[in-house]
Amino acid sequence: LDKQPINMRQFWLRLWRLIAPSHKQIINLFVLILVAEGFQFIGPYLLKRIIDLLTVFRAEYIKNVIILIILILLTDLVSNLIDYFSDKKIFVITVEAEKYLSINAQRKMVNLGLSYHEKENTGNKIFKIQRGIDYPGVKVRVTHRRLRGIRLSGDNDVEIKLSAPKTTTVLELLRKA
């Protein structure tokens, strides 16, 4: 292979085609993240309304202030739930993508001719292909390790501790190899 500079547009298009089985899930995840980010704007707006009501304080505004405080708590709860489900969806997509990328790479390797396997060191190539497939999952796990606690136990069990400021949940995924 000749060493040509990587065209980033081509790279992303080829990657998008490579992960074709996950397109619908990724688009759904994107919409879920947009909704979660939209909820992030509601809390500060409601806080602004509370401050505006308190600057011109009257006794009849107490009911409105309490309602706005309750709405802030509810929007925070909804935001945390959406974050939980989006994190769960990210890990499901990652596990499924690793599985079908591995299967497709092995299938293509098996479909190569016998002469290719005789000439090339296919064991080394299989190792490189597997390392390349595992790399995206490792990167995603490292990124999320910074955000939330993750403990990998054994080869197949993954315990993920999703912690939000007010809620803590433990999600266990059993990844079948």
Side-chain angles (χ1 to χ4, degrees):
L1 294 172
D2 51 0
K3 299 286 183 181
Q4 293 180 349
I6 296 173
N7 181 350
M8 290 308 284
R9 179 180 164 89
Q10 254 185 352
F11 168 77
W12 290 112
L13 288 174
R14 290 178 76 190
L15 179 65
W16 185 248
R17 275 187 255 129
L18 188 62
I19 59 172
S22 297
H23 283 178
K24 186 175 180 181
Q25 290 177 323
I26 292 171
I27 291 170
N28 289 341
L29 175 66
F30 181 72
V31 169
L32 194 62
I33 290 172
L34 285 177
V35 170
E37 292 301 317
F39 267 96
Q40 297 297 323
F41 291 114
I42 296 173
Y45 173 74
L46 293 175
L47 184 61
K48 177 217 173 277
R49 299 274 301 169
I50 291 172
I51 292 171
D52 289 344
L53 287 174
L54 291 177
T55 56
V56 290
F57 185 73
R58 291 191 189 142
E60 58 266 10
Y61 291 158
I62 292 175
K63 182 180 179 183
N64 293 342
V65 169
I66 292 173
I67 290 172
L68 290 174
I69 290 172
I70 291 170
L71 285 175
I72 286 175
L73 294 174
L74 288 176
T75 57
D76 192 35
L77 177 67
V78 169
S79 178
N80 286 334
L81 284 172
I82 292 173
D83 283 342
Y84 166 75
F85 286 113
S86 63
D87 285 344
K88 182 178 176 181
K89 194 170 238 355
I90 286 170
F91 285 107
V92 168
I93 290 170
T94 302
V95 168
E96 288 178 2
E98 285 178 3
K99 182 177 180 181
Y100 69 74
L101 285 174
S102 176
I103 290 171
N104 286 343
Q106 290 173 4
R107 185 177 298 133
K108 287 182 181 185
M109 197 63 135
V110 167
N111 288 336
L112 291 173
L114 183 60
S115 62
Y116 177 83
H117 292 290
E118 289 174 347
K119 287 189 286 185
E120 299 292 328
N121 183 1
T122 54
N124 191 26
K125 290 190 185 298
I126 290 171
F127 175 72
K128 286 180 181 178
I129 290 170
Q130 190 62 40
R131 187 177 59 191
I133 290 169
D134 288 341
Y135 179 72
V138 169
K139 189 171 186 174
V140 167
R141 286 187 189 102
V142 169
T143 301
H144 277 77
R145 186 173 290 146
R146 290 185 194 134
L147 301 176
R148 305 204 179 0
I150 295 178
R151 192 181 89 223
L152 300 176
S153 58
D155 289 318
N156 296 331
D157 296 332
V158 179
E159 182 181 314
I160 305 155
K161 184 175 183 181
L162 303 172
S163 58
K166 294 184 175 101
T167 61
T168 301
T169 322
V170 175
L171 167 69
E172 291 184 12
L173 295 175
L174 182 61
R175 188 177 75 171
K176 295 180 181 175

